[in-house]
CSV table of all heavy atoms in Angstrom, one decimal:
chain,number,residue,atom,x,y,z
E,93,GLY,N,-17.8,-0.1,2.4
E,93,GLY,CA,-17.4,-0.6,1.2
E,93,GLY,C,-16.6,0.1,0.2
E,93,GLY,O,-16.1,-0.2,-0.8
E,95,LYS,N,-13.4,2.4,-1.2
E,95,LYS,CA,-11.9,2.4,-1.2
E,95,LYS,C,-11.5,3.9,-0.9
E,95,LYS,O,-11.7,4.8,-1.9
E,95,LYS,CB,-11.4,2.0,-2.5
E,95,LYS,CG,-11.6,0.5,-2.8
E,95,LYS,CD,-10.9,0.1,-4.1
E,95,LYS,CE,-11.5,-1.3,-4.6
E,95,LYS,NZ,-11.7,-1.3,-5.9
E,120,ILE,N,-5.7,2.3,5.5
E,120,ILE,CA,-6.1,3.4,4.6
E,120,ILE,C,-4.9,4.2,4.1
E,120,ILE,O,-4.2,4.8,5.0
E,120,ILE,CB,-7.2,4.3,5.3
E,120,ILE,CG1,-8.4,3.5,5.6
E,120,ILE,CG2,-7.5,5.6,4.6
E,120,ILE,CD1,-9.5,4.2,6.4
E,144,HIS,N,-8.1,7.6,-9.6
E,144,HIS,CA,-9.2,7.8,-10.4
E,144,HIS,C,-10.5,7.7,-9.6
E,144,HIS,O,-11.3,6.7,-9.8
E,144,HIS,CB,-9.3,6.8,-11.6
E,144,HIS,CG,-8.2,7.2,-12.7
E,144,HIS,ND1,-8.5,7.6,-13.9
E,144,HIS,CD2,-6.9,7.2,-12.5
E,144,HIS,CE1,-7.4,7.8,-14.6
E,144,HIS,NE2,-6.4,7.5,-13.7
E,145,PRO,N,-10.8,8.6,-8.7
E,145,PRO,CA,-11.9,8.6,-7.8
E,145,PRO,C,-13.3,8.6,-8.5
E,145,PRO,O,-13.4,9.2,-9.6
E,145,PRO,CB,-11.8,9.8,-7.0
E,145,PRO,CG,-11.0,10.8,-7.8
E,145,PRO,CD,-10.1,10.0,-8.6
E,160,HIS,N,-10.0,20.4,-12.2
E,160,HIS,CA,-10.5,21.4,-13.3
E,160,HIS,C,-9.3,22.0,-14.0
E,160,HIS,O,-9.4,22.3,-15.1
E,160,HIS,CB,-11.4,22.4,-12.7
E,160,HIS,CG,-12.8,21.8,-12.5
E,160,HIS,ND1,-13.1,20.8,-11.6
E,160,HIS,CD2,-14.0,22.1,-13.1
E,160,HIS,CE1,-14.4,20.6,-11.6
E,160,HIS,NE2,-15.0,21.3,-12.6
E,186,SER,N,-18.5,29.7,-7.9
E,186,SER,CA,-18.0,30.5,-9.0
E,186,SER,C,-17.7,29.7,-10.2
E,186,SER,O,-18.0,30.1,-11.3
E,186,SER,CB,-16.6,31.1,-8.4
E,186,SER,OG,-15.8,31.5,-9.4
E,189,GLN,N,-21.2,29.2,-11.7
E,189,GLN,CA,-21.7,30.4,-12.4
E,189,GLN,C,-21.1,30.6,-13.7
E,189,GLN,O,-21.6,31.1,-14.6
E,189,GLN,CB,-21.6,31.6,-11.5
E,189,GLN,CG,-22.8,31.9,-10.7
E,189,GLN,CD,-22.6,32.7,-9.5
E,189,GLN,OE1,-21.5,33.3,-9.3
E,189,GLN,NE2,-23.5,32.6,-8.6
E,191,GLU,N,-20.1,28.4,-15.6
E,191,GLU,CA,-20.5,27.2,-16.5
E,191,GLU,C,-19.3,26.4,-16.7
E,191,GLU,O,-19.1,25.8,-17.8
E,191,GLU,CB,-21.2,27.6,-17.7
E,191,GLU,CG,-22.6,28.3,-17.4
E,191,GLU,CD,-23.4,28.6,-18.6
E,191,GLU,OE1,-23.0,28.2,-19.8
E,191,GLU,OE2,-24.5,29.2,-18.4
E,204,GLN,N,-28.0,22.6,7.5
E,204,GLN,CA,-28.3,23.3,8.8
E,204,GLN,C,-27.5,22.6,10.0
E,204,GLN,O,-27.1,23.2,10.9
E,204,GLN,CB,-29.8,23.5,9.1
E,204,GLN,CG,-30.4,24.2,8.0
E,204,GLN,CD,-31.8,24.6,8.3
E,204,GLN,OE1,-32.1,25.0,9.5
E,204,GLN,NE2,-32.6,24.7,7.4
E,205,THR,N,-27.5,21.2,9.9
E,205,THR,CA,-26.8,20.5,10.9
E,205,THR,C,-25.3,20.6,10.8
E,205,THR,O,-24.6,20.1,11.6
E,205,THR,CB,-27.1,19.0,10.9
E,205,THR,OG1,-27.1,18.5,9.5
E,205,THR,CG2,-28.5,18.7,11.4
E,208,PHE,N,-24.8,25.6,11.4
E,208,PHE,CA,-25.2,26.1,12.7
E,208,PHE,C,-24.4,25.7,13.8
E,208,PHE,O,-24.4,26.3,14.9
E,208,PHE,CB,-26.7,25.8,13.0
E,208,PHE,CG,-27.7,26.4,12.1
E,208,PHE,CD1,-27.4,27.3,11.1
E,208,PHE,CD2,-29.0,26.1,12.4
E,208,PHE,CE1,-28.4,27.9,10.3
E,208,PHE,CE2,-30.0,26.7,11.6
E,208,PHE,CZ,-29.8,27.6,10.6
E,210,ASP,N,-21.1,23.4,13.6
E,210,ASP,CA,-19.7,23.3,13.4
E,210,ASP,C,-19.1,24.6,13.2
E,210,ASP,O,-18.1,25.1,13.9
E,210,ASP,CB,-19.5,22.4,12.1
E,210,ASP,CG,-18.1,22.4,11.4
E,210,ASP,OD1,-17.6,23.5,11.3
E,210,ASP,OD2,-17.7,21.3,10.9
E,231,PHE,N,-8.1,36.2,28.2
E,231,PHE,CA,-9.1,36.9,27.3
E,231,PHE,C,-9.9,37.9,28.2
E,231,PHE,O,-10.3,39.0,27.6
E,231,PHE,CB,-10.1,35.9,26.8
E,231,PHE,CG,-9.7,35.5,25.4
E,231,PHE,CD1,-8.6,34.7,25.2
E,231,PHE,CD2,-10.5,35.7,24.2
E,231,PHE,CE1,-8.2,34.3,23.9
E,231,PHE,CE2,-10.2,35.3,23.0
E,231,PHE,CZ,-9.0,34.6,22.8
E,247,GLY,N,-19.6,32.8,16.3
E,247,GLY,CA,-19.2,31.8,17.3
E,247,GLY,C,-18.1,32.3,18.1
E,247,GLY,O,-18.0,32.2,19.4
E,267,LEU,N,-26.1,44.0,6.7
E,267,LEU,CA,-27.0,43.2,7.6
E,267,LEU,C,-26.2,42.5,8.7
E,267,LEU,O,-26.7,42.6,9.8
E,267,LEU,CB,-27.6,42.1,6.7
E,267,LEU,CG,-29.0,42.3,6.3
E,267,LEU,CD1,-29.5,41.1,5.4
E,267,LEU,CD2,-29.9,42.4,7.5
E,320,GLY,N,-9.9,31.7,9.2
E,320,GLY,CA,-10.5,31.4,7.9
E,320,GLY,C,-9.7,30.2,7.2
E,320,GLY,O,-8.6,29.9,7.6
E,346,GLU,N,5.2,34.1,15.8
E,346,GLU,CA,6.3,34.7,15.1
E,346,GLU,C,6.1,36.2,15.3
E,346,GLU,O,5.1,36.7,15.1
E,346,GLU,CB,6.2,34.4,13.6
E,346,GLU,CG,7.5,34.4,13.0
E,346,GLU,CD,7.6,33.6,11.7
E,346,GLU,OE1,6.5,33.1,11.3
E,346,GLU,OE2,8.6,33.4,11.2
E,359,LEU,N,0.2,34.3,14.7
E,359,LEU,CA,0.1,33.0,15.1
E,359,LEU,C,0.0,32.0,13.9
E,359,LEU,O,-0.6,32.3,12.9
E,359,LEU,CB,-1.2,32.8,15.9
E,359,LEU,CG,-1.3,33.7,17.1
E,359,LEU,CD1,-2.4,33.3,18.0
E,359,LEU,CD2,-0.1,33.9,17.9
E,369,ALA,N,-2.8,25.3,15.9
E,369,ALA,CA,-2.3,25.3,17.3
E,369,ALA,C,-3.2,24.5,18.3
E,369,ALA,O,-2.7,24.3,19.4
E,369,ALA,CB,-2.3,26.7,17.8
E,374,PRO,N,-14.3,20.2,18.2
E,374,PRO,CA,-14.5,18.9,19.0
E,374,PRO,C,-15.4,17.9,18.2
E,374,PRO,O,-16.2,18.3,17.4
E,374,PRO,CB,-15.2,19.4,20.2
E,374,PRO,CG,-14.8,20.8,20.4
E,374,PRO,CD,-14.7,21.4,18.9
E,384,ASN,N,-23.2,14.2,7.6
E,384,ASN,CA,-23.6,14.8,6.4
E,384,ASN,C,-22.8,14.3,5.1
E,384,ASN,O,-23.3,13.9,4.1
E,384,ASN,CB,-23.6,16.4,6.4
E,384,ASN,CG,-24.8,17.0,7.0
E,384,ASN,OD1,-25.9,16.9,6.4
E,384,ASN,ND2,-24.8,17.4,8.2
Side-chain angles (χ1 to χ4, degrees):
K95 292 184 194 139
I120 292 176
H144 289 248
H160 281 68
S186 158
Q189 261 156 24
E191 295 185 5
Q204 301 196 34
T205 46
F208 288 1
D210 164 321
F231 267 63
L267 256 178
E346 209 157 5
L359 306 193
N384 276 290

